[in-house]
Structure formats: C-alpha cells, structure tokens
Amino acid sequence: MAEIVLDKVTKRYPDGALAVSDMDITIADGEFIILVGPSGCGKSTTLNMIAGLEDITEGELRIDGQRVNERAPKDRDIAMVFQSYALYPHMSVRENMAFPLRLAHVDKATVTRKVEEAARVLDLTQHLDRKPGNLSGGQRQRVAMGRAIVRDPKAFLMDEPLSNLDAKLRVQMRTSVAKLQRRLGTTTVYVTHDQTEAMTLGDRVVVMRGGLVQQIGSPQSLYDQPANLFVAGFIGSPSMNFLPATLADGSLRTSLGTFPLTDRVRTLAEAASAPRDVIVGLRPEHFEDAALLDQTERARGGVFTAPVEVLESMGSDKYAYFTVEGASAAELDELAAETGAADLADAGSQLVTRLSAASEARLGQDLEIWFDPDKLHLFDPHNGRTLTYVK
Amino acid sequence: MAVISSTRGGKKARWAVIDVIVLVYALVPVLWIVSLSLKTKDTFTDKHFIPRSWTLQNYVDIFSTNQFLRALLNSVGIAVIATLIAVVLGTMAAYAIARLDFPGKRALVGVSLLIAMFPQVSLVTPLFQMERSLSLFDTWPGLILPYITFALPLAIYTLSAFFREIPWELEKAAKMDGATPAQAFRRVIAPLAAPGVFTTAILVFIFCWNDFLFAISLTSTTASRTVPAALSFFQGSSQFEDPTGTISAAAVVITVPIILFVLFFQRRIVAGLTSGAVKG
Ligand SMILES: Nc1ncnc2c1ncn2[C@@H]1O[C@H](COP(=O)(O)OP(=O)(O)O)[C@@H](O)[C@H]1O
Ligand SMILES: [Mg+2]
C-alpha cells in the first residue's frame, strides 16, 4: 500500500502533443481515486506515467515519498488492469494469474494457494484450467482483476476496466470492484470516461479536460460545487441546463423571464465580483411542476410557462424537455463540441427538467414550471469559472 | 425436420464431391510418380497405374550412387542455412515494420515487394558472371545468397502480417506483472509469434528446396548441385538404360522431407492460432 504523489507532472509526446500538463495530485494510502474526462483528455497517459509505461516529461512522481520517475514498471510494484484485459492467450487462467508470482520467484505452494484464493474471491475456480479465448467477457475481466490482486501490489491502476462489458454486467462489476477495493484497502487509480462510474465508485474524483485537471473532490462536492462550466456539464445525468443571462439590480434576466436573486446567490456573486453577463446553471431536479406545489413554496421560486416538447416517464419521475430561445454562449458551444455528449449538444437551447411522477404534464401542452432559485449556479461566460463558489 | 436434414445431407454431399475432385487433381500426378518408382524396368511403359511387378531396386540404386546422396546433402544444407538466415533477418525486419515508425519504412516495404516481383530468369546471366568472378560459382554460398535475397520479401510479408496480429498491450501487461523486457519477449511475445515464424520457415524452406533455376545455372559439379538439378543429370548405368525409374524414386525421396516438415509444424501452427485472442 502506498501514497502516490504527482508533482507538476507533464507529458509531451515525441510528436509534440501535450497530453498532460502540470498535474498535481496527492493520492492517499488506500484511497480509491477516479480520473474522469472525455476521451483524449490524458487519463490513460496519466495512468501510464504512474505505471512507468510512459516517460514523464517534467515533474516528479513519488511513491511513498520516493522519486520513481526513472524506475522500470517492474520495480514500482504496481498492478494494472487494461481495457482490453491483455490476458496471455497461450496461458490458462491459472497460468495467467500465476504469471506475476512466478516472475517474482514465489515458491510453488504459495503460488497455488494465492491463485486459488484469488480465484475463489472472483468466482473463477471452475475456470482455472481454461484458456482466456474460451471465456466470456465478464470472466476475462475477472481474470484480469485476479492477475492484479494475486501479488498484493502497492497500488492498482485500472484503465476503463469495465468499458468492454455490456451495460448490465458493467453495473454488477462496478459494485464488485468497489467491494473488492474496500476489502483489500489498496490504493487504486481508476480511469473512466463514464461520469456515473466516477460518481458511484470513488472516494475522490479528478475531472480532466484537455490534459488539465479541472477539479478534484468527492463525488458530492463536484456535484454540488462544480468549479467551472465543464465540470458542471460533465458531472450529473442528465446534464445541468445552461442559459445565458444578465445580472441587473439584484435580479437575473433570462429568456425564461426575470427573477430576483436569493440572498445566498447574491452574496456569493458579489464576493466573486460577477460581471453583468453570466451563464446560469440549473440541474434538472431543481425544477418542478408548479401545480404540485403549495402557495408559499411557489412564491419562493421562479415560475415560467412553456410547451412540453418531449416527455419521458421513468416511473419514479418524469423528464420533461423544453426549448428555450436566446443566443447560446460561445463557451457553451465549445463545451458541447468537446464533451461530445448528446445531452450537452443542445446545451443552451434545450432545457431538461425532472418532475415528480405525480405531474400531469402532457406532451405538446403548456406547463407551468417552477424552479428553485436558491440552487442555481452562475458562471463567468468568458472563462467558464463559477461565480457561486462556497469557500 | 426432414427437409432440413435432407438439405444438410445435400450440402455435405456437394462438399464431399468437391473435396474428392481437388484431392484427385492434386494427388494423381504424385501417385503416378510413386507408382513409376516402384515399377520394374520392363514395365515402365505398360500404362498401368498400379504396378504389375513391384521392386525397390530404383531406391536401392539411387542410394548406392554417391551422386544422389551428395545432392541430398547439398539440398538439405543449403535450404536449411538459407531458411535460417532469411527467417532471422525477416523476423527483425518484420518486427520493425509492424512495431516501429521509422524513416524509410515505406521504401523498405516497396523495395522488398519489387524484389519479390523481379523475374528471376533475367538475373541468371548476371549472377552467373558475378559469381564466377567472385569465385562463388558452384559453392554453397553461391546458392544460399540468391535464395536469401528472394526468400526475404516472402519472409518479411508473411511475418509482418503475423506480427500485426499480436496485441502489443500484452507486452505492457507483462512489464506490469514484473517482467524484464527480455522476459516479456521470451515468455509472452515469442510464443505468440512462433506460429508465424514456423509458417514462414516452411514457406521459405519449400522455396529453397524446390528451386531449379538457380540450382541448374549456378552449379557445375556435385560440390553444390542440389537434388532438383541433380535429377536432370541422372542416367542409367549404361547409356541405353532408361533413368525414369531412378528419377521417380529420387523425386519421391525429396518430397518426403517437405511432407514431414509440414505435417510436423502444422500441428503447432494450428495450436498457436486457435489458442484464443484477447478480445472478441
Ligand atoms: N503515443 C502517443 N503519441 C502521441 N500522442 C499521443 C499518444 N498517446 C496519446 N496521445 C495523445 O495524447 C492525448 C491524451 O491521450 P490519452 O491519455 O490516451 O487520453 P484518454 O485516455 O483520456 O482518452 C490525446 O490527444 C492523444 O491523441
Ligand atoms: Mg484512454
């Protein structure tokens, strides 16, 4: 077990591509940390630098306080699970899992014991003598995990280990990975592009974009206090809604109408010396069908009326989609293009709201919608930073 | 049910017929030579597929002359050495082509393609002149060198196709599992590359073993004459004797190593290829 420190780590590939720049993270002993971000943001590169498979261009990597930049992967005592599993096709499951132990010259009896123990934990006992080629995707994934855990490494690195599984299996495996990590208590760095995986698995999540760390924090703090537009749009599903707006005389003018700011938001915005033009962010769950609320609740929030364009009933809630006019900010378009997320593609023109199942919203009909103005986020349209950050 | 099984039966029958045609087409000439080699001298021309009177005399004859044994030795030696060198060089070149990006990679592939397509016949005369002035004519290296030249493109192509199929992430996985680069190569990459190397070795060996053009033009004595060339020099014990029987026997004898070679390695090739991929 180990503490891993990335100190201003930068990676420039020989072709000049800057994949990771100035990365600063301290991963505590036993922590489960997630690197998340859109594809190409440098997650795998970061992981490979920790593993020793890629050289570090600048900065220092320390494991348990010792600089390891120059150490070969085999001298770092770190195990890795690859997206493709990278099982050795010519070896049986048993030989695959025993391989790291045999390389470490562990005696035969111990190898057998450890492999069989790992196989039991991972429910692979009856497959030990089969070749990886004859296993299902989920079984191969478990063999890859087994090969990593048999030798009690200082840390695990996992590069999108579940992304080749079908959706149902992925959810199952997600739970077992989390359980396994808690049980072993081994420092784990887990890479994914899936924000749901990031939110459900980690102690802490590192959101990356274009080789830069955007924000580091617990899943809940990223959700409640996104540091910028990117994190706000990336974390949460469906994504946060964004609207261009103008701040004037303590109220907020948007294409949905003009609403007074609550004290909390006004204080925060003043502290951040917010500009006149801002972007408002509102999560889908902070909307409600106005007809379901009592008078005081209703009066506390903003209300507007719009026709329901798409209605999805999930049983427990209803998702209602609206189109709002108004120019979308350049920053929002860029964000949508970069994340490539379908539900962000319309950011700034489409509004997603989550209503109670009791709502009587009808497709195509006007609906009075209420939102909680105290929950809204404000962002600077020029640099995307939040203007409503609680210290 | 009846319909399904009858169409299935029909399909099987169709395949059986096709298989038989292919087998007959390929095997009849070979069996004819085997038959000729077993016939006595006076029944060569009796036009019977199955010999009326059997003899092993032709085999005894070829092995009792120094001429054939020496040619066999030349063939084995030259083909084995040329195969070894071509496969080793080809492996290195193919590894570089499959794994690395280096300046001149496309030129290398282009040039080797060019060599493969070059008509060998047009090189015989210049090679003959060159080898004579370099005193390589009628020596083992005199044949090994051109064999390597023409076998290399074949080796590079086959091997780089095989190497491209190896998931190189396995090498990274081995490093993470604690292997040195040499261990990663020996225990993970080499076993996966082996089927490709064996296949290539077979192809190159057959190419060298069967060559007649260079063997006949670049040799003049038993010092380096290989079997295909030596066959054309076979004569009966007197000039009135027909050498057909001995030639057939020799042809059968030189086919045997190829068959053994392929049978022996085929197992390993098939085993290697079906041992299971990483994904899918
Ligand atoms: N071997 C390489 N050579 C050059 N550029 C690379 C190489 N590997 C990755 N990159 C670039 O580095 C960036 C980050 O890649 P990567 O770490 O694989 O992203 P992620 O895993 O987050 O999808 C990408 O822009 C990618 O094109
Ligand atoms: Mg990646």
Side-chain angles (χ1 to χ4, degrees), chain A residues 51 53 73-74 78 80 82 84 86-91 99-100 102-103 133 140 147 151, chain B residues 169-170 172-180 183 187-188 191-192 275-280:
Chain A
L53 296 171
K74 73 181 186 68
I78 289 177
M80 185 152 170
F82 293 84
S84 68
L87 302 178
Y88 310 121
H90 55 299
M91 300 182 193
F99 190 65
R102 300 232 318 267
L103 287 172
R140 283 181 214 181
R147 193 173 61 185
R151 67 186 166 114
Chain B
E169 209 159 47
L170 295 180
K172 290 191 194 169
K175 282 187 190 165
M176 292 310 297
D177 283 343
T180 62
Q183 281 172 321
R187 301 179 65 163
V188 175
L192 294 175
S275 62
V278 174
K279 278 200 223 176

Side-chain angles (χ1 to χ4, degrees), chain A residues 272-290:
Chain A
S273 44
R276 243 179 79 83
D277 290 321
V278 294
I279 291 172
V280 182
L282 268 170
R283 296 223 178 260
E285 61 269 35
H286 297 142
F287 292 87
E288 189 49 279
D289 183 345

Side-chain angles (χ1 to χ4, degrees), chain B residues 73-114:
Chain B
L73 177 73
N74 289 340
S75 264
V76 171
I78 290 171
V80 166
I81 295 175
T83 303
L84 263 179
I85 299 178
V87 168
V88 169
L89 291 181
T91 303
M92 294 197 266
Y95 182 85
I97 288 171
R99 278 303 295 284
L100 308 172
D101 249 331
F102 54 90
K105 177 162 147 176
R106 298 180 62 144
L108 176 68
V109 175
V111 167
S112 69
L113 188 67
L114 202 72

